[in-house]
Amino acid sequence: MDFVDSGLYRDITDHAHDAPAWLRHTAEIGTEAGLLVFVALFALGWWRARRSDTRAFAIAVLAPLATAVAYVCSEVLKSVVTEERPCRAVAGAAPSLAECPPYGDWSFPSNHATIAGASAATLVLVRRPLLRLTVPLALLAAFSRVFVGVHYPHDVAAGLLLGAAVALTVVALATGPATRLAATVRGSTAPVARWITGPGPRATALPHASHRRP
């Protein structure tokens, strides 16, 4: 099948081959390593949420779980669409910078872009100021998959939208039950459970009432 953005794919991969060597090497490493930044942000979000209220903690825990659900949905969709990778399907395209995945590892949608979209969306729910970091990072991670030659532009666009939509839906549906579960675990006396969920927000000391002499 000939896709309407195969020409755009060729343009991007041609520019990739004309790019400086340091940029090509950075893209080859970053297209995989970029997802590790999201893993670190999830871990940091969970750690900070240990001293947040129970609902905020539940959302911090749900964020990576919702991202995993989005990834599974992407894998299922891949097996239905069975789109061939552009590094094999597009005639006249420059060789991909990254190794072209084997036959059967389908192209649509991009798993990397799905994970990036889901991670960016849910991390904003965990901590809103992260918007300025996670959105550009997700877009860069998605674009890098086209830049290194293993995905069409429409693969990564669909992945970003799918990831964000699925992950946000999962968080919306599961926040209530997860909050109740987190509250139960926080009430446990087991040291491991208390360490995982954290103590919650620090109690604010009430100001002492001043007593005036009559």
Side-chain angles (χ1 to χ4, degrees):
M1 185 180 293
D2 186 22
F3 294 97
V4 294
D5 61 354
S6 59
L8 179 58
Y9 168 82
R10 279 193 294 266
D11 290 341
I12 293 173
T13 51
D14 285 345
H15 283 298
H17 273 266
D18 292 338
W22 67 265
L23 181 57
R24 296 197 304 270
H25 294 320
T26 300
E28 289 179 66
I29 297 171
T31 191
E32 299 290 347
L35 297 184
L36 296 179
V37 177
F38 286 118
V39 173
L41 290 173
F42 281 135
L44 179 62
W46 158 74
W47 184 257
R48 291 177 63 94
R50 292 170 72 253
R51 290 199 174 275
S52 299
D53 63 74
T54 305
R55 186 176 184 275
F57 175 81
I59 292 174
V61 172
L62 283 173
L65 298 179
T67 299
V69 173
Y71 166 77
V72 171
C73 291
S74 177
E75 277 292 315
V76 171
L77 189 54
K78 273 179 180 286
S79 66
V80 173
V81 178
T82 63
E83 175 193 87
E84 186 56 275
R85 293 276 180 167
C87 38
R88 273 191 296 274
V90 178
S96 59
L97 298 181
E99 182 180 356
C100 194
Y103 180 80
D105 187 347
W106 308 113
S107 191
F108 180 91
S110 164
N111 282 341
H112 283 70
T114 299
I115 293 170
S119 300
T122 54
L123 282 166
V124 170
L125 297 180
V126 174
R127 189 167 175 79
R128 192 172 297 276
L130 286 175
L131 174 71
R132 286 175 284 186
L133 171 63
T134 60
V135 171
L137 182 60
L139 294 174
L140 183 60
F143 176 77
S144 73
R145 302 304 288 167
V146 184
F147 189 84
V148 300
V150 295
H151 278 291
Y152 292 101
H154 68 261
D155 295 338
V156 299
L160 288 171
L161 293 174
L162 175 68
V166 171
L168 291 176
T169 300
V170 170
V171 172
L173 294 176
T175 294
T179 301
R180 291 190 290 272
L181 177 60
T184 300
V185 176
R186 274 185 169 174
S188 171
T189 57
V192 174
R194 293 287 295 170
W195 182 83
I196 291 174
T197 60
R202 290 189 177 93
T204 304
L206 295 175
H208 294 289
S210 58
H211 299 282
R212 295 180 181 179
R213 293 181 180 178

